[in-house]
Amino acid sequence: MLFAWIVPAAICLLMHFTAEACSKGNVAANKLPHGVAEICDKGNMTANSASHVQPGTNITLSCQLKQLKYNEQCKIAIFFNSSELIINYGTSVSTKFQVLTYGKHMFTCKIVCEYKKKLICGVDIMSGNPPDQPRNVSCIQYGTDGSPTCTWDKGRLTYINTTYVIQLSDGTDIFCFLEENLSNKFGSLVLSKKLNFDSTYTVVVAASNELGSAFSQPLMFMLVDIVKPHPPRLLVEFENSVTNFSFVWHDEVRAQHCRIRYRPLTGYAWNTVENVNSENFSLYGLEPHTEYEFQVSCKIHPERGLWSNWSTFQTQTPEAVPTGLLDVWYKMQDVDSQTQNISLFWKALSKSEAKGRILRYTVTFEALNRGGPEAEVTTQTSYTRTTAKLDYRITVTADNSRGSSPPAVIITDLGIGDLPPPQKVSALPMGNGSIFVSWKPPNKFTAFINGYVVEWMDTHRKKSLAPPPTWVKLIAANLSTVISEHIKDNVCYDISVFALYQDRAGRVASVRGYSREKAPSAGPQMYTTPQTNGVLVSWEDIPSHQQMGCITAYNIYLRKKDSEGAPAVYAISNATSQREFYITNLQRGENYILWMTASTAAGESPWGNRELVCLESAVDWLIVVLTCSFFVFSVCVCSMRPARKVLYSLLSATVPQWHDKAIPDPANATWARSYAAVKGELSVPSSLFLRDTSSFEEPETIEVEEGFTKTDSQIFHEKLIFGKVHGRENHDWQSESSFGKQESEYKALPSTTDGDSYEHQLPYLYRRMAEVTEQMQPAPEYLANPISDRAAGYLPAGILAPATDTAAEQQELECSPISVFPTTFLPPVFSYGGKLNLDTVRLNGSSFTR
């Protein structure tokens, strides 16, 4: 016991006395034992403490001027970091100061003369802590050929320059190593000396500064204790079996003791194998087609020393034949009387069951008691086939590169009507996306039941094109389950339960359920159709995102428009299939307002749209019916030829006689034929059409060049076209001439240059027209008078034929297109000979009858 105490004490004394020799002289040569002083040219400044002190130390500062003469107005002062501590007249000054902070404190002595300051001298005082004892000393060497590195904890900060020295002793010699990493928290030093495995070493860390020194506890070790081997080089090889592996690694010669650990990349827990004394090892029972991470670590001595870092190797195990049985479900739907659709659905195997990557699925159909199986291949997890209406044995297998899984068997049965469904199926909401489903066994054939299938589907997904269902298979002993796969809150689900009779599904028992629900957020869209005795109300489903659960009922509200009373309520409990409702006993001619709501177990929705309805009265309805009946009857009668003849004869008896009288052609009138026989020429000057001739002025004399007169029966027609302009007193007119296609001969008219011989020629033409008109027979009563009142406004009075002033004739004249000078085109009644050119005509207004 005494020896155990003496050895460490002797080592400490040895380290203490040799520390100064290894520290390269850490004591300053100008260090004053009892104070610090600075001697300057102009004066001296002293402090009664050492140059390094700890916080809380009181020091006395003094400044003494040398024998120099200064102005009597100058003062001597001591400053601390530019802050004045004391100032006096004279040649010396002294003050006390307490050091409260860490770091450098700079004191100066100055002469202050008026506003000028002159530096005399100064001293610096450092404030800090003595070093703490170094703790947690440790040494490590990476690899057998490396150099050791020692680290330690320095303790609190010293705030002043502190030196750390490692003193290494092998029992004979002492080696000192000065720290090079000047970290404030931790110390680290690489020992530049080659150690051997046979010696025992002692390490002490010595720390020192101006305020003191400290030594760590001695650390004794052998090289085998501090060497950390390099990580081994690892290689994993597969054996003949897909689940057996061999590990091969190479490490340093002295590292013969290893350990192995491995895990799937998807897992967290490690499987560890200890005490492996060779450079190869075999593992068994790994999962096929799984990525693993393997690690190996080694050390030199089985009980002493440090483990190397883990070397890592990742690889995937080979595939194996699938072992899982597919979970298959099916649905049957009739196409016609001879064929049916069979839709198969199955769940993919888990990774542990697939034993590899599933490449395809093989589906076989075998008609019971008929022929052999027919195989189909698909890469999907569903399959649909149209087949004859027979019972089938269907198998489905999953295939990977190593083989196929055991076949899952489904037997379809067209006579499932004899297989009863489960009883008393119920669905209770549990919240958080789960529903509790329970049922009772069927009433009979319970001995043949080998399980149940619970299937569920969103009620709105059911209407889309063949959505894959979600289902779970249970053993026959289970009469309840909690479904949570793809279950959402505020959504209604159709839940179906089947009993499996030796793998044949019986009849279904269904119920609707939900995990959690609310009152619908909107009402249904309603439509009204007034009918004879009431109103037909129809509606659409509320959008799925607004139903908020399972709709259990609809309410239709009806009230008279001007009524303030409570509305009549029509409750509809069949909310799943009913989409219309007929309301009777409504008053005709009365206005009604209708609206509608939907309800879940959580409450009633807001109102939907509102409709105003009014039934027509009986009289209005009778008129509509009679009118429609007459129209239909008329169409039917007119479509038959004998009926049309009878109807035409009846209508002819009731229509006036003039209705059938033909309208004669005016060209066939007697007076029109008489005019056609007249030979001569008729030319009407435009000046005769002026309404007021009293103001007519003598026009200029115009030369008329030689014309020609017609010698055969062909005639030249001239049509006068008049247009009336609103807001003007006179009539604008223009002439349009047309000739026949046959060639005609013309003779020259007499020509003169004075124009006197023709100044009465035009009135003569008008008189010829009048004479011919008097000789004509009276026109029929339905022809217009050829001389209209309109001509009196611009024709000479002497050439107008006598007219019959009767009211009837005047009325006919207004509508008749036949007149001497109408406002429309003049019919071809008059015959003219020759061509009238006004280039050389000399017009004289005195020749017109006034």
Side-chain angles (χ1 to χ4, degrees):
M1 186 70 181
L2 180 61
F3 178 78
W5 178 85
I6 292 176
V7 172
I11 293 175
C12 290
L13 290 175
L14 179 63
M15 294 297 181
H16 175 72
F17 288 114
T18 59
E20 186 172 353
C22 295
S23 62
K24 298 181 182 180
N26 56 356
V27 179
N30 57 354
K31 179 179 178 181
L32 300 179
H34 299 293
V36 61
E38 284 291 338
I39 300 174
C40 303
D41 295 338
K42 298 178 182 180
N44 301 328
M45 189 171 183
T46 60
N48 65 343
S49 66
S51 60
H52 293 76
V53 298
Q54 298 186 41
T57 302
N58 292 318
I59 60 177
T60 300
L61 301 169
S62 300
C63 181
Q64 180 71 41
L65 295 178
K66 291 185 176 180
Q67 298 298 325
L68 295 176
K69 295 181 180 179
Y70 291 95
N71 193 333
E72 295 180 354
Q73 300 298 325
C74 294
K75 299 179 181 179
I76 185 172
I78 296 177
F79 293 84
F80 166 62
N81 294 340
S82 301
S83 298
E84 185 180 283
L85 297 179
I86 188 172
I87 184 170
N88 283 325
Y89 290 101
T91 60
S92 63
V93 67
S94 178
T95 186
K96 291 185 178 182
F97 181 82
Q98 185 179 18
V99 177
L100 299 177
T101 59
Y102 290 103
K104 183 178 181 179
H105 295 68
M106 185 173 62
F107 301 95
T108 58
C109 177
K110 297 180 180 180
I111 290 294
V112 180
C113 297
E114 295 180 354
Y115 300 101
K116 296 181 180 180
K117 298 178 182 178
K118 295 181 179 180
L119 179 63
I120 301 300
C121 200
V123 295
D124 294 332
I125 304 297
M126 301 296 297
S127 175
N129 297 318
D132 288 341
Q133 182 184 24
R135 300 179 182 276
N136 302 324
V137 179
S138 64
C139 295
I140 186 172
Q141 178 176 312
Y142 294 97
T144 56
D145 297 330
S147 298
T149 300
C150 296
T151 59
W152 63 93
D153 185 359
K154 293 182 178 181
R156 64 176 178 173
L157 295 177
T158 61
Y159 298 99
I160 58 177
N161 186 26
T162 303
T163 302
Y164 292 87
V165 177
I166 292 181
Q167 301 168 353
L168 175 66
S169 173
D170 58 0
T172 303
D173 300 320
I174 298 177
F175 307 94
C176 296
F177 304 94
L178 184 64
E179 179 195 25
E180 297 177 358
N181 182 15
L182 301 179
S183 171
N184 294 325
K185 184 67 176 176
F186 300 98
S188 177
L189 181 60
V190 177
L191 306 183
S192 57
K193 180 175 177 55
K194 181 68 174 179
L195 306 183
N196 59 68
F197 284 92
D198 300 327
S199 301
T200 300
Y201 296 93
T202 302
V203 170
V204 173
V205 179
S208 63
N209 60 21
E210 296 290 344
L211 298 177
S213 61
F215 298 90
S216 67
Q217 292 292 331
L219 173 66
M220 302 180 66
F221 60 87
M222 295 185 68
L223 184 58
V224 69
D225 298 323
I226 66 170
V227 170
K228 184 175 184 177
H230 294 297
R233 298 186 300 274
L234 175 64
L235 177 64
V236 178
E237 297 177 350
F238 299 107
E239 297 182 356
N240 294 331
S241 174
V242 296
T243 59
N244 300 339
F245 298 88
S246 295
F247 292 84
V248 180
W249 62 89
H250 304 282
D251 57 3
E252 295 174 301
V253 177
R254 292 180 176 271
Q256 299 295 326
H257 306 278
C258 301
R259 57 183 178 176
I260 299 172
R261 65 179 184 179
Y262 61 94
R263 66 174 179 180
L265 286 182
T266 57
Y268 296 97
W270 289 96
N271 301 305
T272 305
V273 180
E274 300 284 355
N275 300 323
V276 179
N277 297 321
S278 62
E279 292 187 346
N280 57 75
F281 186 78
S282 296
L283 287 177
Y284 304 96
L286 300 181
E287 291 292 332
H289 194 65
T290 304
E291 289 189 354
Y292 279 91
E293 180 181 11
F294 304 94
Q295 293 184 347
V296 176
S297 177
C298 299
K299 67 177 182 178
I300 296 176
H301 194 275
E303 298 179 357
R304 300 174 62 180
L306 303 175
W307 287 101
S308 69
N309 290 334
W310 293 99
S311 60
T312 301
F313 187 86
Q314 292 182 358
T315 187
Q316 186 181 53
T317 58
E319 293 186 351
V321 178
T323 58
L325 185 67
L326 289 172
D327 185 358
V328 183
W329 186 233
Y330 72 99
K331 285 187 174 298
M332 300 170 59
Q333 184 178 9
D334 292 339
V335 177
D336 51 38
S337 59
Q338 300 296 327
T339 58
Q340 62 181 348
N341 270 342
I342 300 179
S343 298
L344 299 171
F345 310 94
W346 56 88
K347 298 179 180 179
L349 295 176
S350 64
K351 190 173 182 179
S352 60
E353 296 174 330
K355 306 297 184 182
R357 187 171 69 90
I358 299 300
L359 302 177
R360 59 189 172 271
Y361 298 94
T362 302
V363 183
T364 60
F365 281 75
E366 181 181 3
L368 298 181
N369 303 324
R370 292 193 182 185
E374 298 179 3
E376 299 287 345
V377 175
T378 180
T379 58
Q380 306 299 319
T381 56
S382 62
Y383 180 79
T384 300
R385 182 175 179 179
T386 301
T387 63
K389 276 194 172 181
L390 300 172
D391 292 335
Y392 290 91
R393 181 181 184 271
I394 304 172
T395 62
V396 184
T397 60
D399 308 328
N400 65 9
S401 61
R402 302 298 293 265
S404 300
S405 67
V409 180
I410 289 291
I411 298 177
T412 65
D413 192 349
L414 298 177
I416 62 172
D418 299 332
L419 303 177
Q423 302 295 313
K424 298 181 180 180
V425 178
S426 63
L428 298 178
M430 298 184 65
N432 297 324
S434 59
I435 304 173
F436 178 77
V437 183
S438 62
W439 59 92
K440 298 294 184 184
N443 295 329
K444 55 182 180 179
F445 303 133
T446 55
F448 299 97
I449 295 176
N450 61 349
Y452 295 94
V453 171
V454 179
E455 174 190 294
W456 62 96
M457 187 183 303
D458 185 345
T459 55
H460 296 282
R461 285 185 61 199
K462 188 175 183 180
K463 299 178 182 179
S464 61
L465 297 175
T470 308
W471 75 94
V472 61
K473 284 186 178 180
L474 304 171
I475 62 175
N478 287 348
L479 298 178
S480 64
T481 185
V482 175
I483 58 176
S484 58
E485 185 179 0
H486 304 311
I487 297 294
K488 300 179 181 179
D489 291 340
N490 304 322
V491 177
C492 186
Y493 294 91
D494 286 328
I495 303 172
S496 302
V497 182
F498 302 82
L500 298 179
Y501 296 87
Q502 296 181 352
D503 296 330
R504 298 190 181 190
R507 295 201 307 269
V508 64
S510 299
V511 68
R512 294 199 305 168
Y514 55 89
S515 171
R516 182 182 288 116
E517 70 175 356
K518 301 177 183 177
S521 60
Q525 178 69 32
M526 178 184 64
Y527 305 96
T528 57
T529 305
Q531 296 187 355
T532 305
N533 298 322
V535 176
L536 179 63
V537 180
S538 58
W539 59 91
E540 296 178 353
D541 284 338
I542 300 174
S544 58
H545 66 280
Q546 294 178 329
Q547 290 191 13
M548 310 306 291
C550 296
I551 303 297
T552 57
Y554 292 101
N555 290 328
I556 299 176
Y557 295 87
L558 181 138
R559 184 177 64 192
K560 292 183 179 180
K561 181 179 179 182
D562 300 327
S563 175
E564 298 295 336
V569 182
Y570 299 88
I572 303 168
S573 58
N574 186 12
T576 57
S577 60
Q578 187 173 352
R579 289 297 176 268
E580 62 181 25
F581 185 80
Y582 190 67
I583 301 176
T584 59
N585 300 325
L586 300 182
Q587 298 179 9
R588 295 186 175 276
E590 186 72 36
N591 291 324
Y592 292 91
I593 298 177
L594 293 91
W595 65 91
M596 193 171 181
T597 63
S599 300
T600 64
E604 188 175 13
S605 73
W607 295 355
N609 62 308
R610 299 178 59 151
E611 293 285 337
L612 179 64
V613 178
C614 179
L615 298 183
E616 297 179 355
S617 62
V619 176
D620 296 337
W621 183 255
L622 180 61
I623 292 174
V624 173
V625 172
L626 292 178
T627 303
C628 295
S629 301
F630 176 76
F631 176 75
V632 174
F633 175 75
S634 300
V635 172
C636 295
V637 169
C638 293
S639 63
M640 296 181 292
R641 185 179 181 85
R644 287 201 305 270
K645 291 182 178 180
V646 174
L647 181 61
Y648 180 76
S649 60
L650 292 176
L651 294 177
S652 299
T654 59
V655 175
Q657 295 298 324
W658 54 263
H659 177 75
D660 294 333
K661 190 172 183 179
I663 300 176
D665 187 359
N668 296 327
T670 304
W671 66 274
R673 290 196 298 270
S674 298
Y675 275 121
V678 175
K679 302 294 184 179
E681 299 196 12
L682 180 61
S683 179
V684 182
S686 61
S687 60
L688 296 179
F689 299 141
L690 299 175
R691 292 192 180 188
D692 189 3
T693 59
S694 61
S695 61
F696 183 81
E697 296 181 0
E698 179 67 19
E700 293 183 7
T701 301
I702 304 175
E703 293 183 359
V704 179
E705 64 183 8
E706 184 181 22
F708 297 89
T709 182
K710 206 170 185 182
T711 59
D712 59 1
S713 60
Q714 298 300 325
I715 60 174
F716 165 72
H717 304 285
E718 182 170 7
K719 293 182 286 182
L720 301 178
I721 303 173
F722 298 88
K724 191 173 183 179
V725 180
H726 296 287
R728 298 183 181 180
E729 295 180 356
N730 299 329
H731 296 276
D732 297 331
W733 66 278
Q734 63 182 5
S735 65
E736 185 180 63
S737 300
S738 62
F739 297 88
K741 295 182 180 180
Q742 294 84 357
E743 296 181 358
S744 301
E745 295 179 2
Y746 296 90
K747 60 181 179 178
L749 293 173
S751 177
T752 182
T753 59
D754 55 4
D756 294 336
S757 62
Y758 288 103
E759 57 179 32
H760 296 290
Q761 182 179 357
L762 293 178
Y764 168 78
L765 293 177
Y766 282 109
R767 285 197 296 272
R768 288 287 297 164
M769 291 176 60
E771 291 174 2
V772 174
T773 305
E774 289 176 357
Q775 297 175 2
M776 292 172 55
Q777 295 180 1
E781 60 180 0
Y782 50 80
L783 289 177
N785 191 341
I787 306 299
S788 65
D789 294 339
R790 186 178 302 172
Y794 53 86
L795 290 180
I799 67 172
L800 294 177
T804 305
D805 297 329
T806 62
E809 291 177 351
Q810 291 179 356
Q811 184 175 3
E812 288 182 0
L813 180 62
E814 294 176 358
C815 300
S816 176
I818 305 173
S819 61
V820 177
F821 299 105
T823 58
T824 58
F825 293 106
L826 182 65
V829 176
F830 306 104
S831 298
Y832 308 95
K835 178 179 178 184
L836 179 61
N837 295 319
L838 300 181
D839 296 341
T840 59
V841 173
R842 182 178 181 83
L843 299 179
N844 192 344
S846 62
S847 63
F848 292 98
T849 304
R850 303 199 193 290

